[in-house]
Amino acid sequence: MKQVLAATTALSVIACSAYAGGVERNSFSSRVLFEDGRYAEFSFGGVSPSVSGTEVAPVGADASGGMAPGYFRFGAAYKADLNENLSYALIFDEPFGAGVNYAAGTGYFAEGSTAFLYSYAVTALLKYTTPSDFSVYGGLRVQTLGARADIPFIGGYTANGAVDEGFGYLVGVAYERPEIALRAALTYTSSINHQIETAETSATAVPDGTSTTSVNTPQSLKLELQSGVAEDTLVFGSVNWVNWSNFDISPTNYGIITTGGSLVSYDSDTITYTLGVGRRLNDNWSVSGSVGYEAPTGGFASNLGPTDGSTSVSLGAQYSEGNMTISGGVSYIFVGSAETTLGGGVAASDFSGNNAIGAGIRVGMKL
């Protein structure tokens, strides 16, 4: 059953969260804290989106072309025991990110617009396991965040945000029954504030300048569940709430140019659900599959993120030999349709029929 548990983790290195709410690219998991003994892992993943839209009347009828570039991401973790009750882990991930690249020469109103957001985080965790199958854990998280944007259709606006460092924390509680591979873990991740020095320029009458943009990456609450249901078979799932309604990027000059507009903001929080099953085939091979769903929130989407909700299907496999395991998987994501606006409560474009494909691999080692 332990190998079946490991097989399910293959799914988390692929792009199930490629189009999760807001700009989330990696939903934090406490999984590594529950590995046996001393353990290290490295993961690599890539996502290839196909996202495009078309103007609607009265704006026009031009097509945007593909506007979401592909991306890669990397993760690493190390876990070890201090004694029978205490263990610790160090985790590196890329929690938030976004890429926008509207091709020039299409006639689409946002042609030539680009925007990128990127982040890196290191988390240090300590877990205490009680004699009654409960455990509590918590730790500190240091995160960097940077962004830049070039938006010709908003008065030739550009913004370049310097990388800023912020601090947050995580706390969690878990219950385990190892004999039936049962585990329930609830993790709260705090918001992290960033004060980003932002240089802005435009072709408008607003003077160019540099100011500080306050950005709070969202708090979240995640429940992860798994249990054996038959010999060599396990079911697993998760529910992840993210507080996107409090996320806002509003540089000073952009707000003046757009009369109070936000460069990026969201009206609603999101809840993402995952459900799957894993099965051991023999001493070396295990396989797993899962589905994911995030309901659309409705309303207009940002021109820098014209999607709303998603449904994903993922397949994973793991090969184990000695102290090493190699896990891999693929995901196909049905990207939710969305409309964007140029203001006035009127649709400017329609994005529908879009998708993304993700693939990844994880190498884990018992040390």
Side-chain angles (χ1 to χ4, degrees), residues 219-272:
Q219 62 181 337
S220 64
L221 187 65
K222 185 173 187 178
L223 176 64
E224 298 174 275
L225 300 167
Q226 60 184 39
S227 179
V229 293
E231 185 177 0
D232 295 333
T233 303
L234 173 133
V235 294
F236 60 95
S238 66
V239 181
N240 186 41
W241 168 81
V242 185
N243 186 206
W244 285 112
S245 59
N246 285 340
F247 180 80
D248 185 273
I249 301 179
S250 297
T252 300
N253 285 4
Y254 188 87
I256 296 172
I257 294 168
T258 59
T259 318
S262 296
L263 187 60
V264 181
S265 66
Y266 303 97
D267 294 330
S268 304
D269 299 340
T270 61
I271 301 178
T272 306

Side-chain angles (χ1 to χ4, degrees), residues 21 40 60 67 152 154 196 198 204 208 236 257 269 284 286 312 328 358:
M67 49 71 61
I154 304 292
I196 300 176
T198 309
T204 71
D208 299 342
F236 60 95
I257 294 168
D269 299 340
N284 300 107
S286 300
S312 64

Side-chain angles (χ1 to χ4, degrees), residues 133-146:
D133 297 323
F134 282 94
S135 58
V136 292
Y137 51 90
L140 298 177
R141 187 167 173 88
V142 57
Q143 176 179 278
T144 61
L145 185 73

Side-chain angles (χ1 to χ4, degrees), residues 22 25 47 50 110 136 142 161 207 217 228 251 280 288 301 314 323 342 344 352 355:
R25 280 190 173 171
V47 180
S50 177
V136 292
V142 57
T217 56
R280 185 176 68 176
S288 54
S314 303
N323 292 331
L342 290 173
S352 59
N355 60 76

